[in-house]
């Protein structure tokens, strides 16, 4: 496949870490929230093996925050998500589907409750700030909404725990999954959460106003030498094997939370008020007609840049492959597909045109691992 470079401009924002990762050998970018998000440092398969064994630092500043504060902030955040946040606690992160009045997904952010009147919505790739402002204006909510100057650096991989303990002390090892707290480095406090877009374990450092961010970045690489630290980025293979969904790729505004298997983040029976609640009740009672499933093909490479039709033996379209990669673990191509109800059962045969050949594959459950 021919590749093209990205023409940078003010509209495609860099991050405070761009200067570092370009020295360290970033080889591909994607665009996420109008910002550069590194997509590769050389071979994605080599990075995958490294991530599963050691520790990596990722420039994920493109996971932008929408800060919502003020008297009505909890009401607004709840209005945007079908997950019941009425019992949420300060210092915790919540994975929250954001939906519209038609129950179509707008985003799948991590929501951080800093306190009852201050929230960060840590975004996947869509302009939630405009949606939030529209809702606040329409409802005359007393809130302040803006994009704070926060640039996340993720520390991911099994060695991230030892590395972070060395840099921030043993308190950080006790942080529970999806909990966050403040930790000091170089005289500055950083919000650090035990989270990240891999299943290899790790942390995310929300660097504010880029206070000592680059110093911390360099320090982590210095201390991380003994753990074979490398720069990295969200890894296509690792995230597909782990079933971590990518908004805009696997799921979008044409899908509802049930179709995306977000059932455990949907609370239609609670008292809370959110957009799309009535529609979700209707969908639940009628049942969904498509669902995200895994698919596997007994081939050793694939590169998809859009949707790929999946068909049955009679060439009827029965699903849409949305992301895929070669998995070194399964020694097969694996992918995430939106399957029609008639063909979403495990072991269902599917056909697709891949690398110029008609390949046959099978539907399987998610996550793969
Ligand atoms: N970290 C932060 N912001 C983000 C992401 C992140 N914003 C964009 C994107 N990633 C949002 N998408 C996800 C998807 C999955 C998870 C986090 C963000 C995730 N899921 C866990 C799982 O599936 O096991 C746990 C979810 C739960 O049950 O609470 O971590 O990565 N800051």
């Amino acid at each position: 496949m021919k590749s093209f470079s990205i023409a940078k401009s003010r509209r495609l924002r860099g991050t405070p870490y761009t200067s570092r990762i370009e020295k360290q050998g970033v080889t591909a970018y994607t665009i996420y929230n109008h910002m550069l998000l590194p997509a590769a440092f050389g071979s994605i398969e080599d990075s995958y093996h490294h991530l599963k064994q050691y520790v990596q630092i990722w420039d994920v500043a493109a996971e932008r925050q929408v800060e919502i504060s003020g008297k009505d902030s909890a009401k607004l955040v709840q209005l945007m998500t079908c997950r019941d946040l009425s019992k949420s606690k300060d210092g915790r992160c919540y994975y929250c589907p954001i939906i519209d009045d038609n129950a179509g997904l707008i985003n799948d952010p991590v929501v951080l409750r800093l306190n009852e009147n201050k929230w960060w919505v840590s975004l996947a790739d869509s302009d939630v700030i405009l949606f939030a402002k529209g809702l606040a204006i329409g409802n005359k909510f007393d809130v302040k909404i803006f994009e704070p100057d926060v640039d996340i650096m993720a520390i991911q991989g099994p060695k991230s725990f030892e590395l972070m303990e060395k840099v921030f002390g043993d308190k950080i090892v006790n942080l529970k999954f999806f909990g966050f707290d403040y930790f000091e480095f170089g005289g500055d406090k950083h919000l650090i959460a035990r989270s990240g877009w891999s299943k290899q374990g790790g942390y995310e450092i929300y660097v504010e106003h880029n206070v000592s961010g680059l110093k911390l970045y360099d320090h982590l690489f210095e201390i991380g030498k003994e753990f074979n630290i490398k720069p990295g980025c969200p890894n296509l293979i690792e995230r597909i094997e782990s079933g971590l969904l990518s908004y805009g790729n696997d799921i979008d505004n044409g899908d509802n939370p049930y179709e995306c298997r977000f059932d455990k983040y949907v609370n239609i029976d609670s008292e809370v008020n959110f957009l799309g609640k009535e529609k979700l009740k209707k969908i639940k009672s009628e049942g969904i007609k498509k669902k995200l499933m895994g698919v596997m093909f007994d081939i050793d490479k694939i590169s998809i840049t859009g949707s790929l039709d999946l068909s049955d033996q009679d060439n009827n379209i029965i699903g849409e492959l949305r992301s895929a990669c070669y998995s070194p673990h399964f020694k097969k191509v694996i992918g995430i597909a939106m399957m029609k109800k008639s063909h979403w059962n495990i072991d269902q045969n599917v056909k697709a045109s891949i690398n110029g050949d008609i390949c046959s594959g099978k539907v399987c459950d998610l996550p793969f691992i």
Side-chain angles (χ1 to χ4, degrees):
M1 197 179 24
K2 201 169 171 212
S3 45
F4 300 87
S5 59
I6 285 178
K8 290 192 194 169
S9 72
R10 180 168 181 265
R11 192 164 52 71
L12 307 186
R13 300 173 293 175
T15 89
Y17 316 116
T18 302
S19 61
R20 290 295 191 276
I21 66 170
E22 293 192 345
K23 268 198 207 123
Q24 290 172 317
V26 63
T27 52
Y29 283 119
T30 184
I31 298 294
Y32 198 85
N33 289 320
H34 315 278
M35 208 170 203
L36 299 175
L37 174 65
F41 286 78
S43 152
I44 292 177
E45 193 166 328
D46 290 350
S47 284
Y48 158 88
H49 290 296
H50 179 267
L51 172 62
K52 290 189 25 157
Q53 237 183 316
Y54 303 106
V55 54
Q56 298 183 350
I57 301 199
W58 300 356
D59 169 4
V60 283
E63 291 168 357
R64 301 313 286 170
Q65 311 305 301
V66 174
E67 178 168 321
I68 303 179
S69 61
K71 196 164 68 59
D72 294 326
S73 57
K75 231 198 256 178
L76 175 57
V77 173
Q78 183 63 76
L79 186 61
M80 295 196 295
T81 181
C82 54
R83 181 166 182 179
D84 182 351
L85 291 173
S86 61
K87 293 183 187 66
S88 60
K89 295 189 183 73
D90 296 355
R92 297 281 313 162
C93 303
Y94 299 89
Y95 184 41
C96 294
I98 293 187
I99 59 171
D100 61 21
D101 53 332
N102 201 35
L105 275 167
I106 295 267
N107 203 290
D108 68 329
V110 175
V111 171
L112 289 81
R113 180 168 142 154
L114 304 176
N115 62 58
E116 207 190 335
N117 294 315
K118 187 173 171 185
W119 305 72
W120 280 352
V121 182
S122 185
L123 296 183
D125 185 26
S126 73
D127 294 320
V128 169
I129 192 165
L130 306 179
F131 187 64
K133 284 188 181 192
L135 287 173
I137 295 165
N139 286 288
K140 298 192 169 52
F141 282 156
D142 182 358
V143 287
K144 186 173 158 202
I145 302 170
F146 70 105
E147 185 184 294
D149 191 1
V150 173
D151 299 289
I152 303 181
M153 161 186 355
I155 319 299
Q156 299 288 296
K159 296 287 178 195
S160 59
F161 303 100
E162 282 169 80
L163 169 61
M164 292 294 272
E165 183 176 6
K166 276 206 155 178
V167 174
F168 292 102
D170 54 5
K171 199 181 106 191
I172 203 152
V173 181
N174 299 327
L175 206 54
K176 291 204 177 68
F177 183 65
F178 264 41
F180 68 81
D181 209 338
Y182 294 85
F183 298 86
E184 196 239 297
F185 172 78
D188 297 310
K189 288 258 177 216
H190 295 285
L191 188 162
I192 303 183
R194 172 121 174 251
S195 57
W197 212 55
S198 87
K199 291 265 178 143
Q200 306 310 313
Y203 299 88
E204 291 181 301
I205 310 176
Y206 290 69
V207 178
E208 276 186 81
H209 310 299
N210 203 30
V211 186
S212 61
L214 285 178
K215 259 195 303 179
L216 175 56
Y217 187 93
D218 294 339
H219 187 67
L220 285 162
F221 271 97
E222 191 54 40
I223 302 299
K225 272 184 195 158
E226 66 168 298
F227 305 116
N228 192 17
I229 193 165
K230 283 193 177 164
C233 54
N235 186 284
L236 182 73
I237 306 171
E238 196 280 338
R239 77 96 182 159
I240 293 179
E241 283 185 354
S242 302
L244 291 168
L245 302 180
S246 168
Y247 187 82
N249 289 321
D250 311 316
I251 56 178
D252 63 35
N253 193 236
D255 310 319
N256 69 52
Y258 295 122
E259 293 165 343
C260 303
R261 314 167 71 107
F262 285 152
D263 302 55
K264 65 174 171 172
Y265 312 117
V266 181
N267 301 109
I268 46 171
D269 297 324
S270 81
E271 293 300 299
V272 296
N273 180 34
F274 58 82
L275 221 57
K277 192 173 183 181
E278 291 313 309
K279 179 74 187 196
L280 279 177
K281 284 183 183 170
K282 186 162 177 271
I283 294 168
K284 174 105 191 190
S285 72
E286 289 174 358
I288 54 169
K289 297 172 187 66
K290 59 182 168 74
K291 187 163 68 174
L292 276 190
M293 296 298 295
V295 286
M296 282 199 185
F297 291 94
D298 217 347
I299 51 176
D300 64 3
K301 58 175 166 304
I302 190 167
S303 165
I304 62 170
T305 52
S307 307
L308 196 70
D309 285 341
L310 298 175
S311 46
D312 65 8
Q313 297 312 316
D314 305 322
N315 293 325
N316 301 304
I317 294 173
I318 53 166
E320 181 184 51
L321 185 62
R322 295 180 168 185
S323 295
C325 66
Y326 173 72
S327 159
H329 179 87
F330 293 103
K331 301 193 168 41
K332 285 180 171 50
V333 160
I334 61 172
I336 298 173
M338 188 58 87
M339 296 302 301
K340 288 187 183 170
K341 183 172 182 172
S342 54
H343 292 78
W344 74 27
N345 291 327
I346 290 166
D347 285 339
Q348 167 72 45
N349 288 314
V350 299
K351 277 197 320 182
S353 167
I354 303 170
N355 313 325
D357 296 320
I358 302 296
C359 302
S360 53
K362 273 195 189 308
V363 171
C364 59
D365 212 354
L366 286 174
F368 292 97
I369 293 176

